[in-house]
């Protein structure tokens, strides 16, 4: 594998656990973005492969954009996906605290050092002046950026000029000849435009992302910074801060952005699937989503015949992971592919496992109550065995399962199911009632007989009565029965459904529909 040897970063806290240390650092500003899981997956895969540590850090210095409950959503969704961390705000660790808002005293000495050594300066420009400056630069088609009015001035000197603010910020003093190149594990040697004098400490005393990320990554011993390519332009600022502060920078890997089919960036404002919580709501399995994210920007393994192996576990992905194989071109977020993968993973689940996973969705749809009986649960497992191959989403189960828990004399018949009933539906139901009425059930003292209430016997009796007796084609013979039993045009296998319902329930449902014709 290439580029697998880490560059060790000295840490003020002494030796930290793990030969490599990686992190994901979301901001709690709303529903977690699917990109958070995407980044977490690649960070965690490499950390586990190398026997290292994976950290979760909450970057909450932008106080105006904080959303209550968002942090807990990050914890919940990443744990749902199985992308768990070794250190973080909720579990602690040797570098605690892991929330930036709780680390304000940590950043102050770094700011003071940059000021003292002439790498930073205080800026007293008001927001109104800065807005007017940018507007004028845009009007003149000049590059936008701070014009350094405050450089070299004392507070008194700056106060005498227009656009003064009582509360200053602190800015980097970026040299005109600053080196903007850096090495990237995915993209090789890169460069970015020269940055302007970036604010590193805001007027409210909170650091900006650029200072906080450098300080925190250093203090937490981060060896590899893996993040989206939108941060490429910021990396020279961070490398410069590392150099000024005498710190060893981590290795950088900039992942390609997730894109829609029209090549635009996926956003929570325009794409519901950009919300990480959406996937659980829509009935996706966490292992299917992890599988899908692992196919984005990374090639599948090959089998012995050279065919792509697109279905894999996190462990299999981690074992073969190599930064050199990451495709830098932004991958298309293809929900059809995810649907296919979800169906594959659903079919691979053990029956009891799938049943337990479906239960919350069925309760949410009020198919089952909050405390289902043992009998209801036993029936559910029988029904799930019939529908396991018929679902792409767990949410699809409610419509398939609901008829099995409806009152037998009150099955709701869908309009499209009733509309397909032909003129001979009444005669068909009469013949079915007669044939099934003669079929003994398990309580008739003939257990073990081929004529007991089993799917095979039910099918044989109905084919004899309807196909052979009435001369109907199976499609037309069994349609009215399906409508009576399930109320749907499309349902789980008919004869197996009748077996689960039992003889009495089945006859009641057939007779109920017959009475309406």
């Amino acid at each position: 594998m290439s580029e697998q040897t880490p560059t060790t970063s000295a840490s003020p806290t002494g030796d930290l656990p793990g030969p490599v240390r990686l992190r994901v650092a979301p901001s709690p500003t709303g529903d977690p973005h699917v990109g958070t899981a995407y980044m977490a997956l690649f960070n965690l895969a490499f950390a586990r492969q190398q026997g290292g540590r994976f950290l979760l850090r909450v970057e909450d210095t932008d106080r105006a954009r904080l959303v209550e409950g968002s942090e807990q959503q990050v914890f919940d969704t990443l744990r749902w996906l199985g992308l768990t961390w070794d250190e973080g705000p909720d579990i602690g660790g040797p570098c605690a605290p892991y929330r930036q808002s709780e680390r304000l005293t940590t950043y102050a000495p770094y700011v003071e050092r940059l000021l003292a050594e002439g790498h930073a300066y205080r800026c007293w420009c008001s927001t109104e002046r800065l807005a007017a400056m940018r507007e004028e630069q845009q009007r003149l088609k000049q590059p936008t950026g701070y014009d350094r009015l405050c450089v070299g001035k004392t507070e008194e000197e700056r106060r005498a000029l227009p656009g003064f603010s009582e509360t200053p910020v602190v800015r980097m003093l970026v040299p005109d000849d600053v080196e903007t190149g850096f090495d990237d594990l995915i993209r090789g040697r890169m460069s970015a435009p020269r940055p302007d004098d970036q604010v590193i400490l805001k007027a409210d005393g909170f650091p900006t992302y650029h200072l906080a990320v450098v300080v925190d990554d250093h203090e937490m011993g981060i060896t590899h910074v893996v993040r989206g390519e939108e941060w490429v332009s910021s990396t020279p600022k961070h490398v410069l801060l590392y150099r000024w502060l005498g710190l060893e920078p981590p290795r950088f890997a900039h992942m390609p952005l997730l894109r829609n089919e029209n090549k635009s960036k996926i956003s929570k404002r325009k794409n519901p699937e950009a919300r990480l919580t959406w996937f659980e709501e829509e009935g996706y399995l966490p292992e299917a989503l992890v599988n899908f994210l692992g196919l984005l920007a990374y090639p599948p393994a090959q089998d012995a015949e050279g065919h792509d192996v697109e279905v894999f576990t996190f462990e299999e992905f981690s074992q073969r992971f190599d930064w050199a194989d990451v495709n830098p071109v932004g991958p298309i977020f293809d929900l059809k592919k995810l649907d296919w993968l979800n169906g594959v993973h659903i079919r691979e689940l053990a029956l009891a496992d799938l049943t337990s996973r479906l239960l919350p969705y069925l309760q949410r749809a009020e198919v089952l109550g909050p405390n289902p009986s043992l009998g209801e649960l036993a029936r559910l497992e029988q029904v799930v065995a019939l529908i396991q191959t018929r679902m792409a989403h767990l949410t699809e189960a409610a419509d398939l399962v609901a008829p099995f828990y409806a009152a037998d004399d009150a099955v709701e018949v869908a309009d499209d199911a009733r509309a397909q009933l032909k003129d001979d539906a009444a005669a068909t139901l009469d013949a079915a009632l007669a044939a099934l009425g003669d079929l003994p059930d398990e309580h008739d003292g003939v257990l073990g007989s081929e004529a007991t209430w089993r799917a095979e016997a039910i099918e044989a009796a109905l084919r004899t009565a309807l196909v052979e007796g009435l001369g109907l084609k199976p499609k037309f013979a069994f349609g009215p029965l399906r409508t009576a039993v399930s109320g749907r045009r499309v349902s789980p296998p008919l004869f197996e459904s009748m077996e689960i319902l039992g003889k009495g329930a089945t006859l009641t449902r057939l007779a109920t529909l017959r009475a309406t014709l």
Side-chain angles (χ1 to χ4, degrees):
M1 292 186 178
S2 62
E3 297 287 8
Q4 303 295 309
T5 304
T7 300
T8 303
S9 176
S11 170
T13 58
D15 293 333
L16 293 170
V20 298
R21 291 173 62 81
L22 293 91
R23 50 72 173 173
V24 67
S27 298
T29 56
D31 284 349
H33 194 283
V34 67
T36 298
Y38 171 60
M39 294 302 162
L41 170 62
F42 283 81
N43 275 279
L44 182 61
F46 182 64
R48 292 291 176 259
Q49 180 196 85
Q50 299 291 306
R53 304 271 282 188
F54 176 55
L55 287 65
L56 173 63
R57 185 174 71 226
V58 174
E59 299 193 341
D60 58 350
T61 59
D62 190 346
R63 309 305 288 176
R65 297 179 61 219
L66 295 186
V67 174
E68 186 176 355
S70 177
E71 180 183 291
Q72 188 61 48
Q73 282 186 320
V74 170
F75 298 159
D76 293 344
T77 49
L78 291 182
R79 280 206 174 93
W80 173 69
L81 288 168
L83 304 176
T84 53
W85 46 99
D86 304 302
E87 304 171 25
D90 55 333
I91 59 175
C95 302
Y98 293 88
R99 290 185 188 88
Q100 287 183 336
S101 61
E102 298 172 1
R103 299 174 59 83
L104 297 185
T105 56
T106 302
Y107 309 118
Y110 291 91
V111 175
E112 292 305 320
R113 176 175 173 180
L114 293 170
L115 286 167
E117 296 181 1
H119 296 306
Y121 60 94
R122 289 187 172 84
C123 172
W124 289 273
C125 289
S126 65
T127 54
E128 292 79 11
R129 180 188 181 272
L130 295 174
M133 177 195 71
R134 282 191 294 270
E135 186 178 327
E136 180 67 8
Q137 289 170 339
Q138 291 168 350
R139 187 183 69 81
L140 297 175
K141 295 183 170 51
Q142 297 175 343
T144 56
Y146 182 57
D147 60 5
R148 292 185 165 176
L149 177 64
C150 292
V151 172
K153 293 183 175 62
T154 64
E155 180 177 351
E156 290 72 19
E157 290 170 336
R158 179 62 186 85
R159 186 184 293 273
L161 300 175
F164 178 83
S165 170
E166 293 289 343
T167 312
V169 300
V170 176
R171 293 181 180 272
M172 297 171 63
L173 183 56
V174 178
D176 292 336
D177 59 350
V178 65
E179 169 60 46
T180 61
F182 62 93
D183 292 316
D184 188 277
L185 290 173
I186 297 171
R187 301 161 189 271
R189 188 67 182 173
M190 298 192 72
S191 63
R194 177 189 174 278
D196 72 338
D197 289 1
Q198 177 68 51
V199 174
I200 55 174
L201 188 71
K202 295 180 288 187
D204 61 4
F206 280 76
T208 63
Y209 168 81
H210 302 288
L211 176 70
V213 73
V214 167
V215 172
D216 288 341
D217 284 343
H218 165 65
E219 298 242 343
M220 295 180 182
I222 300 301
T223 60
H224 295 70
V225 169
V226 183
R227 58 190 179 192
E229 64 180 304
E230 70 267 33
W231 294 107
V232 165
S233 63
S234 296
T235 303
K237 306 172 193 176
H238 302 164
V239 172
L240 188 58
L241 286 169
Y242 278 107
R243 186 184 311 147
W244 284 344
L245 295 168
L247 309 176
E248 184 72 27
R251 307 300 300 271
F252 292 99
H254 289 91
M255 294 290 296
L257 294 179
L258 303 179
R259 298 183 298 167
N260 296 303
E261 290 187 9
N262 64 4
K263 308 299 177 66
S264 63
K265 178 183 174 181
I266 287 182
S267 70
K268 289 190 290 186
R269 187 169 58 86
K270 295 181 179 179
N271 308 94
E273 66 271 19
R275 294 189 300 109
L276 196 47
T277 52
W278 180 83
F279 296 93
E280 186 174 10
E281 294 167 2
E282 293 297 309
Y284 289 100
L285 297 180
E287 51 266 61
L289 181 54
V290 167
N291 188 165
F292 175 69
L293 294 174
L295 286 171
L296 298 176
Y298 203 82
Q302 305 283 307
D303 63 17
E305 288 75 38
H307 301 130
D308 288 347
V309 179
E310 295 190 310
V311 180
F312 49 78
T313 65
F314 168 79
E315 289 72 21
E316 291 166 338
F317 177 74
S318 178
Q319 287 168 7
R320 68 183 182 86
F321 182 74
D322 191 324
W323 292 115
D325 290 334
V326 176
N327 187 341
V329 178
I332 300 300
F333 204 88
D334 183 1
L335 283 177
K336 293 190 179 84
K337 185 61 164 283
L338 176 56
D339 288 342
W340 172 77
L341 279 170
N342 204 50
V344 171
H345 281 275
I346 285 174
R347 291 190 289 275
E348 290 182 348
L349 289 178
L351 183 58
D353 187 8
L354 177 56
T355 302
S356 66
R357 296 198 199 201
L358 285 174
L359 191 55
Y361 293 92
L362 298 173
Q363 291 171 324
R364 187 186 309 163
E366 299 184 344
V367 172
L368 288 170
N371 298 298
S373 67
L374 292 177
E376 288 175 323
L377 293 175
R379 170 172 285 194
L380 178 59
E381 190 162 305
Q382 291 179 298
V383 176
V384 171
L386 297 185
I387 67 174
Q388 184 164 12
T389 61
R390 295 167 176 253
M391 292 184 293
H393 296 185
L394 298 184
T395 49
E396 294 170 359
D399 198 51
L400 296 168
V401 171
F404 290 89
Y405 294 92
D408 296 320
D409 59 354
V411 174
E412 185 176 342
V413 178
D415 291 341
D416 61 342
R418 187 176 291 276
Q420 72 170 355
L421 294 175
K422 307 299 183 185
D423 292 340
D424 59 0
T428 303
L429 289 167
D430 286 336
L433 283 163
L436 295 179
D438 292 337
L439 191 67
D441 66 19
E442 292 184 358
H443 304 292
D444 290 340
V446 286
L447 286 176
S449 165
E450 291 184 0
T452 56
W453 191 263
R454 291 288 182 267
E456 297 82 0
I458 294 168
E459 181 178 4
L462 290 173
R463 284 188 180 277
T464 298
L466 306 181
V467 178
E468 298 172 15
L470 298 182
L472 299 174
K473 293 182 179 180
K475 174 181 178 181
F476 299 109
F478 303 135
L481 279 59
R482 185 181 305 281
T483 299
V485 167
S486 69
R488 310 287 196 273
R489 286 186 66 243
V490 178
S491 71
L494 175 62
F495 311 117
E496 288 79 358
S497 298
M498 289 179 166
E499 178 182 333
I500 291 173
L501 288 168
K503 180 177 179 178
T506 298
L507 295 179
T508 299
R509 292 179 182 220
L510 296 178
T512 300
L513 179 61
R514 172 64 184 88
T516 69
L517 301 178

